[in-house]
Amino acid sequence: MATNNDKYEAVIGLEVHAQLSTASKLFSGDSAAFGGDPNTHVSAITLGHPGTLPKTNKKAVGFAVKMGLACTCEIERYNYFARKNYFYPDLPKGYQVSQHTTPICKGGHVRIRTSVGERDIRLNRIHMEEDAGKSIHDIDENYTCVDFNRAGVPLIEIVTEPDMHTAEEAFQYVTEVRKLVRWIGVCDGNMEEGSLRCDANVSIRLKGEQQLGTKVEVKNLNSIRNVKKAIEYEIARMIAMAENGEIITQQTRSFDASNDTTFAIRDKEEANDYRYFPEPDLTPFYLTDAYIEEVKESIPALPNELFNKFHHELQLSEYDARQLSEEKGLADYFAQTTTLSSNYKAISNWLLGPVRQALNEQALSFDALTLPPNALAGLIALVDEGKVSFSIASSKILPVIMADGNKLPADVAQELNLIQVSDTSEIEDWVNQVLNKMPDKIAEYKKGKKGLIGLFMGEVKKISKGKADPKKTTQLLEEKLSK
Ligand code: ADP
Ligand code: MG
């Protein structure tokens, strides 16, 4: 299906639900951990039994504020929760506690990068609410089962303005949000486990038109790829409808990952009456400037800030700076190592090259790196001082110091007898050995096959076990071969 048509422009707004990484639920001490045996993280408070009294989780509030500040939102000082009343089997209380007219964070933006450059996607709001439980349809033939473990887990809902126009922008936006929540530690960003879920609102309009078209909402997209695919499908479907003269109606749809299409689950309920009212069991809470300041100070340097620093201050290439500021563990490690070695480019090369490769082989992330930054700095110094070659350092020394964080690279080089030899007489010895073995090749070289120098070099490298200083080796070889 074609995904574009010059006559039309797509308009996309995203609602991302992020489960906050608190130990307990939003209004009770029940565990907020993922999974667990069904209905084991469930107290009378989670079930909303009469006589129980919920209490707001302070940590969850702090996380919501943290995300808001990281997105340059305005923070609402006076906050309260409201009841959103509706019936759903996985909603044990018959209402969801949410923030209705007073989201804790307003405005702000998330900066994204696409193939056509950078853009700020404006946020409408970030509000807090509790998650629902889970209906399970596939373990019993006759009954639907419910697991209330998830009921009451704290969520923030991050809602954009209808600001995006392509599936690629939406893809980048969710990528950025996931990176951000992980970076500041408010959500694990795990879409497979549902810690991060996305609803995509999509409409189309004729290019140049100001008014928004009728939107459909595709619910519960559980991977970033599916966000993109669902939007691509919707845009194409709506354009085809418009071209056929069909009326687009407001719908809630679901994504079918088996064939990358969407299907209607309901036509927009005519003005669902949720009978919102302020939650009478919870006290409103007020956030002081001092508190907001405290949260602000707990926010680590954000990816864009670090990118600018790495690129402009430390003079790394745009690509390297971008790579280094993709993942917090990596960025922190890099920054720490720059205080121990001023060869920033080498630190970057080591981390993005052999170190990352070694971690990948064990399916580990930089958070799990046990190599102390001073060991990496030491290794870089050995190479820079000409004591070991880069290839020896990465193939022989790095694996040892990565496996044992207490070993110093210089000691390993000594122990394994890897220190490069720049002593002329020793290298000359190796060079002679090689040349004596290869009179035919020498003759060919002298007839003009200069490329053979590589072969000689390789032989010297072999018999010296990589220890012959390559510069001196070339020099000596050329000297002898020109005689
Ligand atoms: P609802 O009440 O249906 O949830 P909201 O106005 O709260 O709608 O908006 C929900 C999301 O849908 C927001 O991200 C908003 O930007 C987006 N949105 C609203 N109208 C449109 C539209 N016509 N086309 C695309 N997205 C839209
Ligand atoms: Mg909505």
Side-chain angles (χ1 to χ4, degrees):
M1 209 186 302
T3 52
N4 218 336
N5 183 313
D6 284 346
K7 263 164 70 184
Y8 299 94
E9 171 185 62
V11 176
I12 302 155
L14 298 180
E15 298 165 276
V16 171
H17 286 93
Q19 268 180 13
L20 299 176
S21 309
T22 53
S24 57
K25 292 187 179 177
L26 185 51
F27 302 116
S28 79
D30 295 347
S31 167
F34 174 79
D37 285 340
N39 300 309
T40 52
H41 305 162
V42 178
S43 65
I45 301 176
T46 288
L47 300 175
H49 283 185
T52 57
L53 209 52
K55 264 199 306 210
T56 305
N57 184 332
K58 192 172 167 190
K59 186 120 185 216
V61 173
F63 279 178
V65 172
K66 202 171 179 184
M67 185 61 180
L69 292 172
C71 299
T72 67
C73 302
E74 187 193 318
I75 307 299
E76 177 64 51
R77 301 301 200 264
Y78 181 77
N79 292 275
Y80 63 92
F81 286 99
R83 284 190 188 181
K84 181 180 181 181
N85 296 278
Y86 64 100
F87 175 78
Y88 215 74
D90 58 21
L91 193 69
K93 295 185 289 205
Y95 57 84
Q96 180 191 22
V97 179
S98 176
Q99 292 188 305
H100 178 43
T101 49
T102 56
I104 191 161
C105 313
K106 285 186 277 194
H109 68 263
V110 171
R111 179 159 298 173
I112 64 164
R113 239 172 314 112
T114 66
S115 50
V116 292
E118 283 191 343
R119 270 200 67 207
D120 285 344
I121 305 302
R122 288 171 307 145
L123 298 185
N124 173 281
R125 64 178 186 270
I126 300 175
H127 68 255
M128 304 179 69
E129 61 187 32
E130 56 178 349
D131 209 343
K134 263 186 209 164
S135 296
I136 301 157
H137 306 289
D138 56 4
I139 56 173
D140 191 282
E141 221 174 287
N142 302 312
Y143 295 97
T144 287
C145 300
V146 280
D147 176 6
F148 290 133
N149 282 354
R150 202 179 66 179
V153 166
L155 297 177
I156 47 173
E157 182 173 342
I158 307 154
V159 183
T160 74
E161 294 293 346
D163 245 8
M164 286 163 272
H165 301 289
T166 63
E168 187 204 357
E169 285 183 340
F171 182 93
Q172 292 304 337
Y173 171 81
V174 183
T175 304
E176 213 49 46
V177 168
R178 184 176 61 176
K179 182 163 93 186
L180 202 52
V181 293
R182 284 179 170 163
W183 196 279
I184 63 175
V186 301
C187 166
D188 65 25
N190 189 335
M191 293 189 82
E192 296 81 62
E193 291 182 356
S195 316
L196 201 74
R197 316 192 279 273
C198 178
D199 301 340
N201 298 270
V202 186
S203 63
I204 57 162
R205 63 184 171 195
L206 287 171
K207 272 196 184 144
E209 179 76 58
Q210 289 304 308
Q211 227 172 334
L212 291 173
T214 302
K215 71 173 167 98
V216 301
E217 180 172 2
V218 188
K219 283 281 192 195
N220 280 326
L221 295 160
N222 63 359
S223 78
I224 301 185
R225 269 161 50 94
N226 288 352
V227 171
K228 183 160 177 266
K229 286 179 179 168
I231 292 171
E232 277 167 355
Y233 179 81
E234 269 316 300
I235 294 173
R237 187 184 68 86
M238 290 171 133
I239 290 176
M241 281 180 80
E243 287 289 283
N244 284 336
E246 292 171 54
I247 305 286
I248 294 165
T249 54
Q250 196 167 337
Q251 276 180 336
T252 304
R253 298 179 71 90
S254 190
F255 182 67
D256 182 351
S258 70
N259 58 9
D260 296 346
T261 62
T262 68
F263 58 94
I265 44 179
R266 56 180 179 266
D267 284 315
K268 192 73 185 182
E269 324 77 315
E270 18 244 68
N272 207 337
D273 182 6
Y274 292 119
R275 292 173 294 122
Y276 278 103
F277 61 86
E279 166 62 62
D281 288 343
L282 288 163
T283 45
F285 59 95
Y286 185 83
L287 304 176
T288 62
D289 290 349
Y291 173 78
I292 291 168
E293 200 46 46
E294 200 181 298
V295 176
K296 199 179 246 166
E297 271 158 28
S298 75
I299 299 177
L302 296 175
N304 282 327
E305 198 178 318
L306 290 180
F307 166 77
N308 285 328
K309 183 173 171 198
F310 296 164
H311 183 40
H312 297 118
E313 250 176 68
L314 305 185
Q315 308 288 316
L316 294 180
S317 72
E318 189 178 338
Y319 180 81
D320 288 356
R322 197 59 84 189
Q323 294 280 308
L324 291 168
S325 53
E326 272 303 308
E327 207 186 306
K328 182 146 191 307
L330 171 57
D332 286 347
Y333 192 95
F334 173 76
Q336 224 182 327
T337 316
T338 59
T339 64
L340 303 164
S341 164
S342 55
N343 193 345
Y344 309 136
K345 177 71 185 145
I347 304 172
S348 167
N349 288 347
W350 275 97
L351 290 176
L352 299 177
V355 175
R356 173 147 72 185
Q357 199 184 331
L359 287 170
N360 283 349
E361 277 160 17
Q362 300 174 67
L364 294 174
S365 73
F366 275 92
D367 295 319
L369 182 58
T370 52
L371 175 70
N374 70 331
L376 180 59
L379 192 57
I380 291 171
L382 282 182
V383 176
D384 286 350
E385 289 159 10
K387 294 205 173 124
V388 295
S389 67
F390 173 79
S391 83
I392 288 282
S394 61
S395 65
K396 299 270 163 52
I397 305 178
L398 183 68
V400 179
I401 58 176
M402 275 185 80
D404 182 348
N406 294 318
K407 290 221 152 140
L408 293 177
D411 295 344
V412 176
Q414 287 290 355
E415 274 166 35
L416 300 181
N417 191 21
L418 299 171
I419 299 287
Q420 195 157 277
V421 173
S422 3
D423 173 58
T424 310
S425 66
E426 212 168 326
I427 298 177
E428 197 168 10
D429 219 37
W430 289 320
V431 166
N432 286 337
Q433 281 181 46
V434 167
L435 294 182
N436 288 341
K437 278 197 309 197
M438 311 182 124
D440 308 354
K441 299 288 173 199
I442 297 176
E444 279 179 50
Y445 179 90
K446 288 189 170 165
K447 273 190 225 144
K449 222 172 156 191
K450 299 293 180 215
L452 283 171
I453 191 86
L455 175 79
F456 300 130
M457 286 286 296
E459 286 301 308
V460 174
K461 194 172 167 191
K462 226 188 267 168
I463 60 169
S464 71
K465 300 206 174 63
K467 287 186 344 191
D469 176 353
K471 240 199 224 139
K472 286 240 165 84
T473 308
T474 323
Q475 228 173 32
L476 280 168
L477 275 168
E478 276 169 355
E479 244 174 64
K480 290 187 183 284
L481 289 164
S482 65
K483 277 183 194 155

